[in-house]
Amino acid sequence: MSTTPPASVRRPPANPLTRAQRALIRYPRYKQLHEDIQQCRHLSLEAQEAQCMVLEGPPGAGKTTLVREYASAFPAIEGSEGRIIPVFYLETPSPVTVKGMAATMLGHLGDPAADKGTLWSMNYRLTHLLVACGVELVILDDFHHLIDAETNRILMVVSDWLKVLIKETGIPFLVVGIEGKVNQILTANPQLARLFAFRDTLHPFRWNLEDRTTIVEFRDFVDAAVAAIDMRLTTELAEIDLLYRLYQATGGIVANVMNLLRQAHLLAVQAQHRAIELADLAAAFTRRLADHRVGVANPFIPVPALPNG
């Protein structure tokens, strides 16, 4: 009698790209920002006063990935006296209103009637729950939603509400958003801005031949990404030339680098290549990056050689 299970219950074959798709590169700047967040949290506990933090960066720099991973290291705990949430992560709703923000936070904290009641009662429940759940840090992602997309005006009522919430709870907030936008919000509300002593920016990688550390940092990140997807890069070009083309293609933005390498890896696997070849990188650039890297010629079909300065 055959022991082979029927097709309907057989396990699918292992996906060779699973590791590549899940790869998370914890490069030095990434680790430093985690340490900065931890310091913000600890100083607030020691001072018994909210020491808030800003994290800005361009789209694709890896801000959300960074803060989500930080939050995941401190998961909620179900205890005998209720739920403990050391680090509370949520995305700013869009469009955002005071009541909408309060309801979103209440819902994530487990309030069964999150959107019910007057604003006063919602604020009271929210303040109580944040303290009762032992929240030591609130991470508020997409903070730039406090700028009205149609009018470019700051939603002052929401920023004032947030200022009061921070002062009443004493809990530090880490607000995360697009570079320049968060500062625009805080500049419009000096009382809120004074609560944010920590200011950080997650910049893309740089390429400057006069500052070798910029090239080393980018090379180390690419090496780690290539190791994570477990397929070497082509040797059709010298390493420095290939790195420069990777930089041209991606602008040094983490999401672009990972999207390019993941797509190129997929194409290389499908073509049964032993390494990611220039043709794979060229096709990956066309499919994944060309539409939003406007004005950048495909650097893998060969293009400009490495400049001298």
Side-chain angles (χ1 to χ4, degrees), residues 279-298:
D280 302 318
L281 290 165
F285 178 87
T286 298
R287 295 189 188 187
R288 298 299 299 272
L289 299 183
D291 286 347
H292 61 275
R293 291 286 289 153
V294 178
V296 177
N298 192 324

Side-chain angles (χ1 to χ4, degrees), residues 228-239:
I229 63 178
D230 203 22
M231 180 179 279
R232 64 183 177 83
L233 284 174
T234 180
T235 56
E236 297 166 87
L237 297 173
E239 180 190 41

Side-chain angles (χ1 to χ4, degrees), residues 50 52 162-171 173 192 195-196:
C52 300
L162 181 60
K163 173 197 66 182
V164 172
L165 182 65
I166 293 170
K167 287 185 173 181
E168 287 188 351
T169 61
I171 297 170
F173 274 59
L192 178 63
L195 300 174
F196 288 83

Side-chain angles (χ1 to χ4, degrees), residues 236-251:
E236 297 166 87
L237 297 173
E239 180 190 41
I240 190 71
D241 193 2
L242 181 58
L243 282 172
Y244 179 62
R245 292 167 192 258
L246 287 168
Y247 183 82
Q248 278 189 308
T250 63

Side-chain angles (χ1 to χ4, degrees), residues 20 24 77 80 97-98 133 139 145 153 162 169 221 225 234 238 251 265 297:
L24 179 60
I77 303 166
S80 58
T97 62
V98 169
C133 289
I139 299 176
H145 288 169
R153 293 177 63 183
L162 181 60
T169 61
F221 179 81
T234 180
H265 179 227

Side-chain angles (χ1 to χ4, degrees), residues 30-80:
Y30 189 102
K31 293 178 181 177
Q32 181 59 56
L33 284 169
H34 271 205
E35 291 176 9
D36 291 348
I37 297 170
Q38 191 75 343
Q39 185 181 55
C40 166
R41 215 173 124 203
H42 285 165
L43 285 178
S44 296
L45 290 171
E46 290 177 6
Q48 294 295 298
E49 184 179 47
Q51 307 288 315
C52 300
M53 178 175 173
V54 170
L55 178 59
E56 290 187 304
K63 304 179 299 297
T64 293
T65 299
L66 186 150
V67 296
R68 280 182 174 173
E69 195 204 10
Y70 180 86
S72 71
F74 305 94
I77 303 166
E78 300 296 340
S80 58

